[in-house]
Amino acid sequence: MPLSMADVGEKKCVIKVNGKDRQRKHLEKLGFVEGTEVTVVSEISGNMIVNVKDSRIAIDKSLANRIIV
């Protein structure tokens, strides 16, 4: 399922990152790599704050839809 469907406080493991090469590389630089554990901290109006590798990152819903957990 896409990361955008995960509940707040739920820990998930990144299975795959979809999208064009440029978008995938951007997400990989942020820490969204296969096998990485992510936790949804909050969600407001479709925008999400997630914990990835001890960092909090804000992403919009379109990017969250590309991250399969």
Side-chain angles (χ1 to χ4, degrees):
M1 80 175 170
L3 181 60
S4 60
M5 295 180 67
D7 294 327
V8 173
E10 194 173 5
K11 290 185 180 183
K12 294 287 187 178
C13 183
V14 175
I15 296 172
K16 184 178 180 182
V17 179
N18 294 326
K20 297 179 181 176
D21 283 340
R22 185 176 181 199
Q23 294 165 336
R24 280 198 327 254
K25 289 183 190 253
H26 175 67
L27 288 170
E28 286 175 2
K29 287 179 184 177
L30 291 175
F32 295 98
V33 189
E34 292 179 16
T36 303
E37 189 175 272
V38 297
T39 306
V40 178
V41 176
S42 69
E43 180 181 0
I44 302 170
S45 303
N47 297 321
M48 304 180 87
I49 298 176
V50 295
N51 269 345
V52 180
K53 296 185 177 180
D54 297 327
S55 298
R56 287 188 178 193
I57 299 174
I59 58 174
D60 65 354
K61 193 170 188 172
S62 65
L63 284 178
N65 282 330
R66 289 179 170 78
I67 302 166
I68 306 300
V69 293

